[in-house]
Amino acid sequence: MEEGAERGVERDPDARWLARIMHTAFFLLLGASLARFLLRHDWEARSPWIVALTGALASLYLLGPVLGTRATPRRIAWLGTVVAVWVLLVVLAPSFAWCAVPLFYTGLRTLPARAALGLVALLTAFVVFAQVRLAHGGWDPNLIVAPPAVAALATGVFVYADRQAARQRALIDDLIRTRRELAATERREGTLAERQRLSMEIHDTLAQGLSSQQMLLQAADRTWDGDPETARRHVRTAESIAERNLAEARRFVHDLAPADLAGGGGLEEALRGLAARESAAFRVDGAPVPLPDRAQSALLRIAQGALANIREHAGADSAAVTLTYLDDQVVLDVADDGRGFDPADRPGGVRGHGLPAMRVRAEQLGGTLTVESAPGEGTVLSAAIPLNPEP
């Protein structure tokens, strides 16, 4: 049999159990054959040889498990010696013939397929020889047909079971490999998802805050000599933004809620504070209802990103944030009167780096994000999140 199959047999508890049964059967048959010979024959010249060969064969067979089942030179030499001793016994005392059945199994486990079949044929021939001798010349078709039939049946069953076991091992190996590949894919997807989360968090907090600080410090630098008070105010505002950014960085590293939500005031208070910092109007329509933390965080991040885009790209004179509670969804609208743009120029209405992140946040909660704009007519960004999303 193939080397891989042999290693599988060594690891298979059922194969070890069958091997123990075959070993037990061999010693029972060997003992019964010796007892039959001694009971049916007087002590004669060949008797000491038969007893000695029986003891030698038993001792040799005990070495089998120590040598394993692989077709190593030592194992093949051992098997050849066992068969040779058994042949001598059969020639001297035909009653030892049926010890061949466990030897069939040993040969099939140890040798490659063709060599194993050759050994089975040799053992079967000696069994037939022994049965004919035991019949004392009487003709019985069973003596010629039965041993080959038994050998063929035993060999067929063994080969079929061995091939089935090999197919099962291959299937198990495929399943294990597939499970490992799925686990690796899940790890990669988890890594990509975490990278996406971090990129969105960094863009919506640190990047926007650093951009605001840069603009404020540049404005302070321009007015430092002519209007020191205004310059100091810009610096203080930049310092306040830096403080908030530091808090945000600590929180998203630990996967916590945005800093504006950490105080427990809720989404409306967080949006109101954000709008005030960005000089935007804020309004709530409808009856407020409790929202999951994830939905509150996502809507606040979307509002932060939208107002940052207005500040950096729109050139708007005014902006407004509206939070609307409907029967089945909550809608966040961020509008400005800036220069606008043509959504058709960018697939899916995507403008800048922040809008893809906003869209992902909305879609993760089963919602949608739309952008309506035209050159010279301002922009309206709308994020709709269902109140009872399907699982």
Side-chain angles (χ1 to χ4, degrees), residues 18-36:
L18 180 58
R20 286 194 292 268
I21 290 180
M22 287 296 177
H23 279 71
T24 303
F26 177 82
F27 286 111
L28 287 175
L29 289 170
L30 186 65
S33 299
L34 179 61
R36 182 182 186 277

Side-chain angles (χ1 to χ4, degrees), residues 143 200 234 261 285 333:
L143 300 180
M200 290 190 299
H234 288 328
L261 291 173
D285 291 337
D333 294 311

Side-chain angles (χ1 to χ4, degrees), residues 316-388:
D317 294 326
S318 63
V321 178
T322 305
L323 184 65
T324 305
Y325 292 93
L326 302 176
D327 292 338
D328 58 347
Q329 62 182 352
V330 57
V331 181
L332 174 72
D333 294 311
V334 182
D336 68 78
D337 60 358
R339 62 176 61 96
F341 68 102
D342 184 0
D345 291 341
R346 298 175 184 266
V350 174
R351 179 181 65 162
H353 178 74
L355 282 173
M358 298 181 211
R359 180 166 283 109
V360 169
R361 289 185 187 279
E363 290 175 351
Q364 286 176 342
L365 295 171
T368 59
L369 185 133
T370 58
V371 179
E372 298 178 4
S373 184
E377 296 184 8
T379 301
V380 177
L381 179 144
S382 181
I385 306 296
L387 293 177
N388 296 300

Side-chain angles (χ1 to χ4, degrees), residues 67 74-84 103 106-107 110-111 119:
L67 300 175
R74 292 177 60 191
R75 175 76 176 180
I76 294 175
W78 166 83
L79 181 59
T81 305
V82 168
V83 172
L103 293 179
T106 303
T110 302
L111 299 175
L119 177 63

Side-chain angles (χ1 to χ4, degrees), residues 111-185:
L111 299 175
R114 290 186 179 180
L117 293 177
L119 177 63
V120 169
L122 175 65
L123 296 176
T124 303
F126 272 92
V127 170
V128 172
F129 163 77
Q131 294 302 303
V132 171
R133 283 189 59 189
L134 288 174
H136 302 293
W139 170 249
D140 186 346
N142 281 338
L143 300 180
I144 307 299
V145 176
V150 171
L153 179 62
T155 302
V157 170
F158 178 86
V159 171
Y160 173 79
D162 186 68
R163 290 178 177 175
Q164 284 290 98
R167 283 193 286 268
Q168 289 178 357
R169 287 193 296 271
L171 179 60
I172 291 172
D173 290 341
D174 287 341
L175 291 174
I176 292 174
R177 183 169 56 254
T178 301
R179 185 174 63 181
R180 289 173 178 170
E181 291 173 354
L182 288 174
T185 300

